Amino acid sequence: MKILVVDDDKEIVELLNIYIKNEGYDVIKAYNGKEALIKITANPDIDLMILDIMMPEMDGMEVVKELRKTSQIPIIMLTAKTTDMDKIQGLIAGADDYVTKPFNPLEIMARVKSLLRRTNMQQVQTEVPDILEIGPLKIKKESHEVTTDKNVNIQLTALEFGILYLLASHPNRVFSADEIFERVWQQESLVSAKTVMVHVSHLRDKIEEATNGEKVIQTVWGVGYKIER
């Protein structure tokens, strides 16, 4: 994932650069509003922007207003202003979150991760058919039935079905444990990786038993789980 950091204070840009890269994200840098818009145009795959308000050339508010004409990229605004009205104006302009200076870089990273998760969840909430057929499985959304191509019924718990349906309805997409927990359990993920791993393990066992060993759910080590079409 790519994150654009925009601030006329080069020390702040370099500080955020260190923390963002430590989390495994790529960083693109800009030092004023006009440069930020140029970088966005040149890099349409940027996933999130951290944007200072008070900058030369073009301030952050103007950048957000211009950007929102064509893009819904998540934006976290940075500012030394602390009044509620400043925050409200930033959010009205189109920002998704707001952090005041001086800030703790760890707080910034927590907000970055949370905003990216919410954005990913919204992106995967697309219409899918009531009946999915993927590999040897036929999955019926409304009745929560799962059968094999040999007409063997697989009995799943509600959570196991939720995991299977999520992965099957977005083939080839890798879901992290946090994403699975938030989508299926419908609550914010805290320490969910082990919980999800156990449920995926049980789900795999049931599928493999019913399909003579078919490996439907794949693990992408260090990332999450997926089902390939």
Side-chain angles (χ1 to χ4, degrees), residues 4-6 28-44 46 49 51 55 57-71 73 75:
L4 173 62
V5 179
V6 189
I28 297 173
K29 306 171 188 176
Y31 302 100
N32 61 63
K34 288 186 177 179
E35 186 182 3
L37 292 178
I38 292 171
K39 292 291 178 70
I40 286 283
T41 301
N43 299 273
I46 288 174
M49 177 165 60
L51 175 68
M55 292 185 297
E57 301 288 339
M58 177 186 288
D59 69 25
M61 291 291 191
E62 292 178 274
V63 173
V64 173
K65 290 175 183 177
E66 186 65 28
L67 193 58
R68 284 295 178 249
K69 295 177 182 179
T70 57
S71 172
I73 180 176
I75 299 173

PDB file of all heavy atoms in Angstrom, residues 4-6 28-44 46 49 51 55 57-71 73 75:
ATOM      1  N   LEU A   4       0.674   8.831   0.912  1.00  0.00           N
ATOM      2  CA  LEU A   4       1.247  10.130   0.563  1.00  0.00           C
ATOM      3  C   LEU A   4       1.293  10.996   1.814  1.00  0.00           C
ATOM      4  O   LEU A   4       0.263  11.209   2.467  1.00  0.00           O
ATOM      5  CB  LEU A   4       0.395  10.801  -0.514  1.00  0.00           C
ATOM      6  CG  LEU A   4       0.765  12.240  -0.888  1.00  0.00           C
ATOM      7  CD1 LEU A   4       2.180  12.310  -1.458  1.00  0.00           C
ATOM      8  CD2 LEU A   4      -0.242  12.804  -1.889  1.00  0.00           C
ATOM      9  N   VAL A   5       2.479  11.487   2.164  1.00  0.00           N
ATOM     10  CA  VAL A   5       2.662  12.374   3.307  1.00  0.00           C
ATOM     11  C   VAL A   5       2.951  13.772   2.776  1.00  0.00           C
ATOM     12  O   VAL A   5       3.897  13.969   2.009  1.00  0.00           O
ATOM     13  CB  VAL A   5       3.816  11.898   4.215  1.00  0.00           C
ATOM     14  CG1 VAL A   5       3.994  12.858   5.385  1.00  0.00           C
ATOM     15  CG2 VAL A   5       3.551  10.484   4.713  1.00  0.00           C
ATOM     16  N   VAL A   6       2.126  14.754   3.199  1.00  0.00           N
ATOM     17  CA  VAL A   6       2.240  16.120   2.678  1.00  0.00           C
ATOM     18  C   VAL A   6       2.384  17.096   3.839  1.00  0.00           C
ATOM     19  O   VAL A   6       1.470  17.249   4.653  1.00  0.00           O
ATOM     20  CB  VAL A   6       1.002  16.507   1.843  1.00  0.00           C
ATOM     21  CG1 VAL A   6       1.250  17.833   1.137  1.00  0.00           C
ATOM     22  CG2 VAL A   6       0.635  15.420   0.851  1.00  0.00           C
ATOM     23  N   ILE A  28       5.184   8.132  -0.291  1.00  0.00           N
ATOM     24  CA  ILE A  28       5.417   9.166  -1.293  1.00  0.00           C
ATOM     25  C   ILE A  28       5.367  10.498  -0.554  1.00  0.00           C
ATOM     26  O   ILE A  28       4.498  10.703   0.300  1.00  0.00           O
ATOM     27  CB  ILE A  28       4.373   9.103  -2.413  1.00  0.00           C
ATOM     28  CG1 ILE A  28       4.475   7.760  -3.154  1.00  0.00           C
ATOM     29  CG2 ILE A  28       4.547  10.254  -3.392  1.00  0.00           C
ATOM     30  CD1 ILE A  28       3.384   7.533  -4.171  1.00  0.00           C
ATOM     31  N   LYS A  29       6.286  11.412  -0.869  1.00  0.00           N
ATOM     32  CA  LYS A  29       6.411  12.659  -0.118  1.00  0.00           C
ATOM     33  C   LYS A  29       6.056  13.867  -0.984  1.00  0.00           C
ATOM     34  O   LYS A  29       6.332  13.886  -2.180  1.00  0.00           O
ATOM     35  CB  LYS A  29       7.842  12.828   0.407  1.00  0.00           C
ATOM     36  CG  LYS A  29       8.360  11.651   1.217  1.00  0.00           C
ATOM     37  CD  LYS A  29       9.848  11.809   1.504  1.00  0.00           C
ATOM     38  CE  LYS A  29      10.445  10.561   2.131  1.00  0.00           C
ATOM     39  NZ  LYS A  29      11.910  10.691   2.322  1.00  0.00           N
ATOM     40  N   ALA A  30       5.446  14.862  -0.333  1.00  0.00           N
ATOM     41  CA  ALA A  30       5.203  16.147  -0.975  1.00  0.00           C
ATOM     42  C   ALA A  30       5.311  17.227   0.091  1.00  0.00           C
ATOM     43  O   ALA A  30       5.053  16.966   1.276  1.00  0.00           O
ATOM     44  CB  ALA A  30       3.832  16.174  -1.649  1.00  0.00           C
ATOM     45  N   TYR A  31       5.669  18.445  -0.343  1.00  0.00           N
ATOM     46  CA  TYR A  31       5.958  19.504   0.627  1.00  0.00           C
ATOM     47  C   TYR A  31       5.087  20.749   0.469  1.00  0.00           C
ATOM     48  O   TYR A  31       5.295  21.728   1.172  1.00  0.00           O
ATOM     49  CB  TYR A  31       7.444  19.876   0.531  1.00  0.00           C
ATOM     50  CG  TYR A  31       8.335  18.671   0.791  1.00  0.00           C
ATOM     51  CD1 TYR A  31       8.909  17.978  -0.275  1.00  0.00           C
ATOM     52  CD2 TYR A  31       8.570  18.211   2.084  1.00  0.00           C
ATOM     53  CE1 TYR A  31       9.707  16.857  -0.049  1.00  0.00           C
ATOM     54  CE2 TYR A  31       9.366  17.099   2.321  1.00  0.00           C
ATOM     55  CZ  TYR A  31       9.930  16.428   1.245  1.00  0.00           C
ATOM     56  OH  TYR A  31      10.707  15.322   1.476  1.00  0.00           O
ATOM     57  N   ASN A  32       4.113  20.681  -0.414  1.00  0.00           N
ATOM     58  CA  ASN A  32       3.105  21.739  -0.504  1.00  0.00           C
ATOM     59  C   ASN A  32       1.883  21.180  -1.218  1.00  0.00           C
ATOM     60  O   ASN A  32       1.909  20.063  -1.753  1.00  0.00           O
ATOM     61  CB  ASN A  32       3.647  22.986  -1.218  1.00  0.00           C
ATOM     62  CG  ASN A  32       4.073  22.700  -2.648  1.00  0.00           C
ATOM     63  OD1 ASN A  32       3.250  22.335  -3.496  1.00  0.00           O
ATOM     64  ND2 ASN A  32       5.367  22.856  -2.940  1.00  0.00           N
ATOM     65  N   GLY A  33       0.803  21.971  -1.207  1.00  0.00           N
ATOM     66  CA  GLY A  33      -0.452  21.481  -1.751  1.00  0.00           C
ATOM     67  C   GLY A  33      -0.429  21.179  -3.234  1.00  0.00           C
ATOM     68  O   GLY A  33      -0.957  20.168  -3.687  1.00  0.00           O
ATOM     69  N   LYS A  34       0.201  22.046  -4.012  1.00  0.00           N
ATOM     70  CA  LYS A  34       0.255  21.816  -5.458  1.00  0.00           C
ATOM     71  C   LYS A  34       1.037  20.547  -5.787  1.00  0.00           C
ATOM     72  O   LYS A  34       0.655  19.771  -6.665  1.00  0.00           O
ATOM     73  CB  LYS A  34       0.880  23.034  -6.152  1.00  0.00           C
ATOM     74  CG  LYS A  34      -0.029  24.243  -6.186  1.00  0.00           C
ATOM     75  CD  LYS A  34       0.576  25.368  -7.013  1.00  0.00           C
ATOM     76  CE  LYS A  34      -0.389  26.549  -7.105  1.00  0.00           C
ATOM     77  NZ  LYS A  34       0.177  27.671  -7.890  1.00  0.00           N
ATOM     78  N   GLU A  35       2.143  20.359  -5.072  1.00  0.00           N
ATOM     79  CA  GLU A  35       2.937  19.150  -5.300  1.00  0.00           C
ATOM     80  C   GLU A  35       2.133  17.905  -4.930  1.00  0.00           C
ATOM     81  O   GLU A  35       2.239  16.868  -5.591  1.00  0.00           O
ATOM     82  CB  GLU A  35       4.226  19.200  -4.482  1.00  0.00           C
ATOM     83  CG  GLU A  35       5.169  18.038  -4.772  1.00  0.00           C
ATOM     84  CD  GLU A  35       6.429  18.066  -3.933  1.00  0.00           C
ATOM     85  OE1 GLU A  35       6.574  18.960  -3.072  1.00  0.00           O
ATOM     86  OE2 GLU A  35       7.280  17.167  -4.133  1.00  0.00           O
ATOM     87  N   ALA A  36       1.307  18.005  -3.877  1.00  0.00           N
ATOM     88  CA  ALA A  36       0.473  16.875  -3.460  1.00  0.00           C
ATOM     89  C   ALA A  36      -0.470  16.445  -4.576  1.00  0.00           C
ATOM     90  O   ALA A  36      -0.615  15.247  -4.870  1.00  0.00           O
ATOM     91  CB  ALA A  36      -0.328  17.236  -2.210  1.00  0.00           C
ATOM     92  N   LEU A  37      -1.117  17.408  -5.225  1.00  0.00           N
ATOM     93  CA  LEU A  37      -2.044  17.083  -6.313  1.00  0.00           C
ATOM     94  C   LEU A  37      -1.309  16.473  -7.502  1.00  0.00           C
ATOM     95  O   LEU A  37      -1.828  15.571  -8.160  1.00  0.00           O
ATOM     96  CB  LEU A  37      -2.807  18.339  -6.740  1.00  0.00           C
ATOM     97  CG  LEU A  37      -3.795  18.905  -5.708  1.00  0.00           C
ATOM     98  CD1 LEU A  37      -4.432  20.176  -6.234  1.00  0.00           C
ATOM     99  CD2 LEU A  37      -4.870  17.874  -5.354  1.00  0.00           C
ATOM    100  N   ILE A  38      -0.104  16.948  -7.760  1.00  0.00           N
ATOM    101  CA  ILE A  38       0.703  16.368  -8.840  1.00  0.00           C
ATOM    102  C   ILE A  38       1.044  14.917  -8.531  1.00  0.00           C
ATOM    103  O   ILE A  38       0.957  14.036  -9.405  1.00  0.00           O
ATOM    104  CB  ILE A  38       1.987  17.198  -9.056  1.00  0.00           C
ATOM    105  CG1 ILE A  38       1.644  18.582  -9.618  1.00  0.00           C
ATOM    106  CG2 ILE A  38       2.955  16.469  -9.990  1.00  0.00           C
ATOM    107  CD1 ILE A  38       2.811  19.538  -9.665  1.00  0.00           C
ATOM    108  N   LYS A  39       1.420  14.647  -7.262  1.00  0.00           N
ATOM    109  CA  LYS A  39       1.782  13.283  -6.871  1.00  0.00           C
ATOM    110  C   LYS A  39       0.573  12.343  -6.943  1.00  0.00           C
ATOM    111  O   LYS A  39       0.697  11.180  -7.351  1.00  0.00           O
ATOM    112  CB  LYS A  39       2.368  13.281  -5.452  1.00  0.00           C
ATOM    113  CG  LYS A  39       3.722  13.978  -5.335  1.00  0.00           C
ATOM    114  CD  LYS A  39       4.806  13.192  -6.041  1.00  0.00           C
ATOM    115  CE  LYS A  39       6.169  13.886  -5.985  1.00  0.00           C
ATOM    116  NZ  LYS A  39       6.765  13.882  -4.641  1.00  0.00           N
ATOM    117  N   ILE A  40      -0.601  12.847  -6.572  1.00  0.00           N
ATOM    118  CA  ILE A  40      -1.825  12.039  -6.650  1.00  0.00           C
ATOM    119  C   ILE A  40      -2.129  11.675  -8.104  1.00  0.00           C
ATOM    120  O   ILE A  40      -2.477  10.534  -8.429  1.00  0.00           O
ATOM    121  CB  ILE A  40      -3.021  12.793  -6.037  1.00  0.00           C
ATOM    122  CG1 ILE A  40      -2.918  12.818  -4.516  1.00  0.00           C
ATOM    123  CG2 ILE A  40      -4.334  12.159  -6.467  1.00  0.00           C
ATOM    124  CD1 ILE A  40      -3.287  11.537  -3.830  1.00  0.00           C
ATOM    125  N   THR A  41      -1.986  12.638  -8.989  1.00  0.00           N
ATOM    126  CA  THR A  41      -2.241  12.390 -10.417  1.00  0.00           C
ATOM    127  C   THR A  41      -1.256  11.375 -10.982  1.00  0.00           C
ATOM    128  O   THR A  41      -1.628  10.495 -11.773  1.00  0.00           O
ATOM    129  CB  THR A  41      -2.147  13.705 -11.210  1.00  0.00           C
ATOM    130  OG1 THR A  41      -3.098  14.638 -10.693  1.00  0.00           O
ATOM    131  CG2 THR A  41      -2.434  13.464 -12.680  1.00  0.00           C
ATOM    132  N   ALA A  42       0.005  11.486 -10.575  1.00  0.00           N
ATOM    133  CA  ALA A  42       1.048  10.590 -11.085  1.00  0.00           C
ATOM    134  C   ALA A  42       0.990   9.205 -10.456  1.00  0.00           C
ATOM    135  O   ALA A  42       1.521   8.241 -11.015  1.00  0.00           O
ATOM    136  CB  ALA A  42       2.429  11.201 -10.846  1.00  0.00           C
ATOM    137  N   ASN A  43       0.326   9.100  -9.294  1.00  0.00           N
ATOM    138  CA  ASN A  43       0.257   7.817  -8.574  1.00  0.00           C
ATOM    139  C   ASN A  43      -1.194   7.528  -8.184  1.00  0.00           C
ATOM    140  O   ASN A  43      -1.581   7.674  -7.021  1.00  0.00           O
ATOM    141  CB  ASN A  43       1.131   7.857  -7.313  1.00  0.00           C
ATOM    142  CG  ASN A  43       2.588   8.095  -7.608  1.00  0.00           C
ATOM    143  OD1 ASN A  43       3.353   7.175  -7.862  1.00  0.00           O
ATOM    144  ND2 ASN A  43       2.986   9.375  -7.586  1.00  0.00           N
ATOM    145  N   PRO A  44      -2.034   7.127  -9.141  1.00  0.00           N
ATOM    146  CA  PRO A  44      -3.453   6.908  -8.848  1.00  0.00           C
ATOM    147  C   PRO A  44      -3.720   5.751  -7.898  1.00  0.00           C
ATOM    148  O   PRO A  44      -4.846   5.591  -7.423  1.00  0.00           O
ATOM    149  CB  PRO A  44      -4.049   6.620 -10.237  1.00  0.00           C
ATOM    150  CG  PRO A  44      -2.901   6.130 -11.057  1.00  0.00           C
ATOM    151  CD  PRO A  44      -1.695   6.880 -10.559  1.00  0.00           C
ATOM    152  N   ILE A  46      -2.352   5.456  -4.933  1.00  0.00           N
ATOM    153  CA  ILE A  46      -2.133   5.860  -3.539  1.00  0.00           C
ATOM    154  C   ILE A  46      -3.358   5.480  -2.719  1.00  0.00           C
ATOM    155  O   ILE A  46      -4.496   5.714  -3.130  1.00  0.00           O
ATOM    156  CB  ILE A  46      -1.848   7.375  -3.456  1.00  0.00           C
ATOM    157  CG1 ILE A  46      -0.444   7.678  -3.998  1.00  0.00           C
ATOM    158  CG2 ILE A  46      -1.956   7.874  -2.016  1.00  0.00           C
ATOM    159  CD1 ILE A  46      -0.120   9.149  -4.097  1.00  0.00           C
ATOM    160  N   MET A  49      -3.798   9.513   2.309  1.00  0.00           N
ATOM    161  CA  MET A  49      -2.971  10.719   2.366  1.00  0.00           C
ATOM    162  C   MET A  49      -2.998  11.308   3.771  1.00  0.00           C
ATOM    163  O   MET A  49      -4.065  11.429   4.387  1.00  0.00           O
ATOM    164  CB  MET A  49      -3.462  11.756   1.358  1.00  0.00           C
ATOM    165  CG  MET A  49      -2.693  13.060   1.401  1.00  0.00           C
ATOM    166  SD  MET A  49      -2.953  14.129  -0.064  1.00  0.00           S
ATOM    167  CE  MET A  49      -4.708  14.388   0.009  1.00  0.00           C
ATOM    168  N   LEU A  51      -2.168  14.803   5.442  1.00  0.00           N
ATOM    169  CA  LEU A  51      -2.103  16.126   4.822  1.00  0.00           C
ATOM    170  C   LEU A  51      -2.103  17.237   5.863  1.00  0.00           C
ATOM    171  O   LEU A  51      -3.031  17.345   6.681  1.00  0.00           O
ATOM    172  CB  LEU A  51      -3.312  16.290   3.886  1.00  0.00           C
ATOM    173  CG  LEU A  51      -3.513  17.632   3.216  1.00  0.00           C
ATOM    174  CD1 LEU A  51      -2.411  17.894   2.191  1.00  0.00           C
ATOM    175  CD2 LEU A  51      -4.890  17.666   2.537  1.00  0.00           C
ATOM    176  N   MET A  55       0.142  25.268   4.663  1.00  0.00           N
ATOM    177  CA  MET A  55       1.263  25.054   3.743  1.00  0.00           C
ATOM    178  C   MET A  55       1.321  26.158   2.706  1.00  0.00           C
ATOM    179  O   MET A  55       0.298  26.780   2.405  1.00  0.00           O
ATOM    180  CB  MET A  55       1.116  23.701   3.024  1.00  0.00           C
ATOM    181  CG  MET A  55       1.260  22.475   3.901  1.00  0.00           C
ATOM    182  SD  MET A  55       1.209  20.958   2.912  1.00  0.00           S
ATOM    183  CE  MET A  55      -0.458  21.048   2.213  1.00  0.00           C
ATOM    184  N   GLU A  57       1.939  27.665  -1.262  1.00  0.00           N
ATOM    185  CA  GLU A  57       1.437  27.299  -2.596  1.00  0.00           C
ATOM    186  C   GLU A  57      -0.071  27.037  -2.583  1.00  0.00           C
ATOM    187  O   GLU A  57      -0.838  27.713  -3.246  1.00  0.00           O
ATOM    188  CB  GLU A  57       2.172  26.068  -3.156  1.00  0.00           C
ATOM    189  CG  GLU A  57       3.664  26.237  -3.298  1.00  0.00           C
ATOM    190  CD  GLU A  57       4.038  27.170  -4.429  1.00  0.00           C
ATOM    191  OE1 GLU A  57       3.215  27.372  -5.331  1.00  0.00           O
ATOM    192  OE2 GLU A  57       5.160  27.707  -4.386  1.00  0.00           O
ATOM    193  N   MET A  58      -0.494  26.055  -1.799  1.00  0.00           N
ATOM    194  CA  MET A  58      -1.916  25.710  -1.667  1.00  0.00           C
ATOM    195  C   MET A  58      -2.102  25.023  -0.325  1.00  0.00           C
ATOM    196  O   MET A  58      -1.392  24.067  -0.027  1.00  0.00           O
ATOM    197  CB  MET A  58      -2.341  24.779  -2.815  1.00  0.00           C
ATOM    198  CG  MET A  58      -3.792  24.314  -2.731  1.00  0.00           C
ATOM    199  SD  MET A  58      -4.206  23.072  -3.999  1.00  0.00           S
ATOM    200  CE  MET A  58      -4.229  24.079  -5.470  1.00  0.00           C
ATOM    201  N   ASP A  59      -3.025  25.511   0.507  1.00  0.00           N
ATOM    202  CA  ASP A  59      -3.153  24.899   1.830  1.00  0.00           C
ATOM    203  C   ASP A  59      -3.952  23.600   1.770  1.00  0.00           C
ATOM    204  O   ASP A  59      -4.523  23.234   0.739  1.00  0.00           O
ATOM    205  CB  ASP A  59      -3.745  25.877   2.849  1.00  0.00           C
ATOM    206  CG  ASP A  59      -5.209  26.218   2.591  1.00  0.00           C
ATOM    207  OD1 ASP A  59      -5.925  25.420   1.963  1.00  0.00           O
ATOM    208  OD2 ASP A  59      -5.640  27.296   3.025  1.00  0.00           O
ATOM    209  N   GLY A  60      -3.960  22.876   2.897  1.00  0.00           N
ATOM    210  CA  GLY A  60      -4.588  21.558   2.936  1.00  0.00           C
ATOM    211  C   GLY A  60      -6.073  21.574   2.639  1.00  0.00           C
ATOM    212  O   GLY A  60      -6.595  20.659   2.003  1.00  0.00           O
ATOM    213  N   MET A  61      -6.771  22.614   3.113  1.00  0.00           N
ATOM    214  CA  MET A  61      -8.211  22.710   2.857  1.00  0.00           C
ATOM    215  C   MET A  61      -8.485  22.780   1.350  1.00  0.00           C
ATOM    216  O   MET A  61      -9.394  22.114   0.842  1.00  0.00           O
ATOM    217  CB  MET A  61      -8.791  23.949   3.542  1.00  0.00           C
ATOM    218  CG  MET A  61      -8.811  23.869   5.044  1.00  0.00           C
ATOM    219  SD  MET A  61      -9.997  22.654   5.672  1.00  0.00           S
ATOM    220  CE  MET A  61      -9.963  23.081   7.406  1.00  0.00           C
ATOM    221  N   GLU A  62      -7.694  23.585   0.641  1.00  0.00           N
ATOM    222  CA  GLU A  62      -7.868  23.700  -0.806  1.00  0.00           C
ATOM    223  C   GLU A  62      -7.567  22.378  -1.505  1.00  0.00           C
ATOM    224  O   GLU A  62      -8.245  22.004  -2.470  1.00  0.00           O
ATOM    225  CB  GLU A  62      -6.952  24.789  -1.354  1.00  0.00           C
ATOM    226  CG  GLU A  62      -7.315  26.199  -0.920  1.00  0.00           C
ATOM    227  CD  GLU A  62      -6.333  27.214  -1.473  1.00  0.00           C
ATOM    228  OE1 GLU A  62      -5.292  27.443  -0.831  1.00  0.00           O
ATOM    229  OE2 GLU A  62      -6.601  27.746  -2.559  1.00  0.00           O
ATOM    230  N   VAL A  63      -6.545  21.677  -1.017  1.00  0.00           N
ATOM    231  CA  VAL A  63      -6.196  20.374  -1.596  1.00  0.00           C
ATOM    232  C   VAL A  63      -7.359  19.405  -1.465  1.00  0.00           C
ATOM    233  O   VAL A  63      -7.738  18.715  -2.425  1.00  0.00           O
ATOM    234  CB  VAL A  63      -4.934  19.785  -0.928  1.00  0.00           C
ATOM    235  CG1 VAL A  63      -4.693  18.350  -1.419  1.00  0.00           C
ATOM    236  CG2 VAL A  63      -3.717  20.641  -1.211  1.00  0.00           C
ATOM    237  N   VAL A  64      -7.945  19.346  -0.263  1.00  0.00           N
ATOM    238  CA  VAL A  64      -9.058  18.425  -0.035  1.00  0.00           C
ATOM    239  C   VAL A  64     -10.234  18.765  -0.947  1.00  0.00           C
ATOM    240  O   VAL A  64     -10.827  17.882  -1.584  1.00  0.00           O
ATOM    241  CB  VAL A  64      -9.508  18.457   1.445  1.00  0.00           C
ATOM    242  CG1 VAL A  64     -10.766  17.621   1.635  1.00  0.00           C
ATOM    243  CG2 VAL A  64      -8.398  17.932   2.339  1.00  0.00           C
ATOM    244  N   LYS A  65     -10.592  20.045  -1.018  1.00  0.00           N
ATOM    245  CA  LYS A  65     -11.726  20.445  -1.850  1.00  0.00           C
ATOM    246  C   LYS A  65     -11.495  20.099  -3.318  1.00  0.00           C
ATOM    247  O   LYS A  65     -12.405  19.631  -4.013  1.00  0.00           O
ATOM    248  CB  LYS A  65     -11.976  21.943  -1.695  1.00  0.00           C
ATOM    249  CG  LYS A  65     -12.517  22.331  -0.328  1.00  0.00           C
ATOM    250  CD  LYS A  65     -12.644  23.839  -0.188  1.00  0.00           C
ATOM    251  CE  LYS A  65     -13.124  24.230   1.195  1.00  0.00           C
ATOM    252  NZ  LYS A  65     -13.187  25.714   1.359  1.00  0.00           N
ATOM    253  N   GLU A  66     -10.269  20.310  -3.788  1.00  0.00           N
ATOM    254  CA  GLU A  66      -9.953  19.990  -5.179  1.00  0.00           C
ATOM    255  C   GLU A  66      -9.963  18.488  -5.412  1.00  0.00           C
ATOM    256  O   GLU A  66     -10.488  17.993  -6.421  1.00  0.00           O
ATOM    257  CB  GLU A  66      -8.584  20.572  -5.535  1.00  0.00           C
ATOM    258  CG  GLU A  66      -8.203  20.433  -6.994  1.00  0.00           C
ATOM    259  CD  GLU A  66      -9.104  21.211  -7.927  1.00  0.00           C
ATOM    260  OE1 GLU A  66      -9.674  22.247  -7.506  1.00  0.00           O
ATOM    261  OE2 GLU A  66      -9.253  20.787  -9.098  1.00  0.00           O
ATOM    262  N   LEU A  67      -9.394  17.753  -4.472  1.00  0.00           N
ATOM    263  CA  LEU A  67      -9.286  16.308  -4.614  1.00  0.00           C
ATOM    264  C   LEU A  67     -10.647  15.634  -4.586  1.00  0.00           C
ATOM    265  O   LEU A  67     -10.890  14.671  -5.320  1.00  0.00           O
ATOM    266  CB  LEU A  67      -8.391  15.757  -3.497  1.00  0.00           C
ATOM    267  CG  LEU A  67      -7.891  14.320  -3.632  1.00  0.00           C
ATOM    268  CD1 LEU A  67      -7.113  14.136  -4.922  1.00  0.00           C
ATOM    269  CD2 LEU A  67      -7.023  13.969  -2.431  1.00  0.00           C
ATOM    270  N   ARG A  68     -11.551  16.151  -3.749  1.00  0.00           N
ATOM    271  CA  ARG A  68     -12.860  15.520  -3.600  1.00  0.00           C
ATOM    272  C   ARG A  68     -13.738  15.665  -4.847  1.00  0.00           C
ATOM    273  O   ARG A  68     -14.789  15.034  -4.944  1.00  0.00           O
ATOM    274  CB  ARG A  68     -13.583  16.078  -2.373  1.00  0.00           C
ATOM    275  CG  ARG A  68     -13.044  15.519  -1.056  1.00  0.00           C
ATOM    276  CD  ARG A  68     -13.314  14.030  -0.960  1.00  0.00           C
ATOM    277  NE  ARG A  68     -12.787  13.429   0.253  1.00  0.00           N
ATOM    278  CZ  ARG A  68     -11.786  12.583   0.314  1.00  0.00           C
ATOM    279  NH1 ARG A  68     -11.159  12.239  -0.816  1.00  0.00           N
ATOM    280  NH2 ARG A  68     -11.396  12.056   1.451  1.00  0.00           N
ATOM    281  N   LYS A  69     -13.304  16.462  -5.800  1.00  0.00           N
ATOM    282  CA  LYS A  69     -14.046  16.559  -7.063  1.00  0.00           C
ATOM    283  C   LYS A  69     -13.936  15.271  -7.872  1.00  0.00           C
ATOM    284  O   LYS A  69     -14.822  14.946  -8.665  1.00  0.00           O
ATOM    285  CB  LYS A  69     -13.523  17.735  -7.898  1.00  0.00           C
ATOM    286  CG  LYS A  69     -13.765  19.097  -7.275  1.00  0.00           C
ATOM    287  CD  LYS A  69     -13.142  20.194  -8.130  1.00  0.00           C
ATOM    288  CE  LYS A  69     -13.336  21.572  -7.507  1.00  0.00           C
ATOM    289  NZ  LYS A  69     -12.701  22.648  -8.322  1.00  0.00           N
ATOM    290  N   THR A  70     -12.835  14.534  -7.654  1.00  0.00           N
ATOM    291  CA  THR A  70     -12.588  13.348  -8.486  1.00  0.00           C
ATOM    292  C   THR A  70     -12.183  12.102  -7.702  1.00  0.00           C
ATOM    293  O   THR A  70     -12.157  11.018  -8.269  1.00  0.00           O
ATOM    294  CB  THR A  70     -11.461  13.633  -9.499  1.00  0.00           C
ATOM    295  OG1 THR A  70     -10.277  14.028  -8.784  1.00  0.00           O
ATOM    296  CG2 THR A  70     -11.863  14.754 -10.448  1.00  0.00           C
ATOM    297  N   SER A  71     -11.876  12.238  -6.414  1.00  0.00           N
ATOM    298  CA  SER A  71     -11.321  11.105  -5.678  1.00  0.00           C
ATOM    299  C   SER A  71     -11.905  10.998  -4.271  1.00  0.00           C
ATOM    300  O   SER A  71     -12.215  12.014  -3.638  1.00  0.00           O
ATOM    301  CB  SER A  71      -9.788  11.244  -5.576  1.00  0.00           C
ATOM    302  OG  SER A  71      -9.246  10.261  -4.719  1.00  0.00           O
ATOM    303  N   ILE A  73     -10.104   9.164  -1.956  1.00  0.00           N
ATOM    304  CA  ILE A  73      -8.969   8.651  -1.199  1.00  0.00           C
ATOM    305  C   ILE A  73      -9.091   9.069   0.272  1.00  0.00           C
ATOM    306  O   ILE A  73      -9.444  10.216   0.568  1.00  0.00           O
ATOM    307  CB  ILE A  73      -7.643   9.167  -1.788  1.00  0.00           C
ATOM    308  CG1 ILE A  73      -6.446   8.638  -1.006  1.00  0.00           C
ATOM    309  CG2 ILE A  73      -7.605  10.687  -1.824  1.00  0.00           C
ATOM    310  CD1 ILE A  73      -5.109   9.038  -1.594  1.00  0.00           C
ATOM    311  N   ILE A  75      -8.264  10.586   3.795  1.00  0.00           N
ATOM    312  CA  ILE A  75      -7.381  11.689   4.146  1.00  0.00           C
ATOM    313  C   ILE A  75      -7.372  11.911   5.654  1.00  0.00           C
ATOM    314  O   ILE A  75      -8.442  12.044   6.275  1.00  0.00           O
ATOM    315  CB  ILE A  75      -7.823  12.997   3.458  1.00  0.00           C
ATOM    316  CG1 ILE A  75      -7.780  12.855   1.932  1.00  0.00           C
ATOM    317  CG2 ILE A  75      -6.947  14.167   3.913  1.00  0.00           C
ATOM    318  CD1 ILE A  75      -8.372  14.044   1.201  1.00  0.00           C
TER     319      ILE A  75
END
